[in-house]
Amino acid sequence: MNEGLIPARYAKALYLVGKERNADKELYAVMKRLDSSFVEQPGLQATLSNPYVSDSDKESLLSVAAGVSDNSALFADFLKLLARNRRLDMAQGIAKAFIKLYREENGIYEVHVVSAAPLAPAEEARLKSLVQTHLKGGSMEYSSSVDPSLIGGFTVSVGNERIDASISNELKQLRLNLISN
């Protein structure tokens, strides 16, 4: 069966139960922490795939990775379900699918800006404002980083779309135009 289909089904089920119990926003935060833990700790997936690690240890590890307190019964029950169905090793895929589903359902766009140098607060506020006007009423989760290889300018990524207003891109386009002539 498709590796992407199974996590999506678990994510949808968790989302629906979370929404029913008014815990969808809390679960979204939990899933974001869990997903970032997989990025920060590359050995986490290997541990979950290891058949010699007990399911209870895997559940505890995932709870810690998600930053969940002992009073989150819904997440604990979900981990028990995954353990029962031998799906604990799909936790990262489920977290990613949950995040994607939550964002789609709530009109949240992930916006990432990469600039050649740190943006001044006024420039960043103006850029955020410009991006917000194009989101058609949705909200955004904004992040930024610096990449000196852009030489100047910036790139803006909104979901799968990317706007490249960097000098390195302009030089690349100029080079391609000169080569083609």
Side-chain angles (χ1 to χ4, degrees), residues 102-169:
Y102 185 88
R103 285 179 178 155
E104 287 171 358
E105 293 290 319
N106 293 283
I108 299 172
Y109 295 89
E110 186 176 21
V111 176
H112 185 71
V113 174
V114 180
S115 59
L119 295 173
E123 291 173 329
E124 192 166 34
R126 184 169 179 255
L127 186 59
K128 282 182 184 179
S129 175
L130 285 171
V131 170
Q132 185 65 51
T133 60
H134 293 287
L135 293 183
K136 300 173 186 145
S139 62
M140 70 173 157
E141 290 182 354
Y142 180 88
S143 63
S144 64
S145 61
V146 174
D147 181 4
S149 71
L150 295 179
I151 303 171
F154 58 88
T155 64
V156 178
S157 299
V158 180
N160 294 331
E161 296 179 39
R162 183 169 182 223
I163 299 167
D164 194 336
S166 66
I167 292 177
S168 64
N169 183 53

Side-chain angles (χ1 to χ4, degrees), residues 6-66:
I6 293 170
R9 287 182 177 171
Y10 278 97
K12 185 174 182 179
L14 180 62
Y15 176 76
L16 292 173
V17 170
K19 190 168 180 139
E20 183 180 289
R21 296 184 186 177
N22 291 323
D24 53 331
K25 190 173 185 177
E26 176 189 333
L27 282 172
Y28 177 60
V30 166
M31 290 303 188
K32 282 178 41 177
R33 286 191 303 265
L34 182 61
D35 185 46
S36 66
S37 291
F38 276 100
V39 172
E40 293 165 7
Q41 301 295 326
L44 184 56
Q45 184 60 48
T47 303
L48 292 175
S49 299
N50 187 336
Y52 297 108
V53 177
S54 71
D55 285 346
S56 63
D57 287 344
K58 291 176 184 179
E59 289 175 41
S60 297
L61 183 62
L62 286 170
S63 291
V64 170

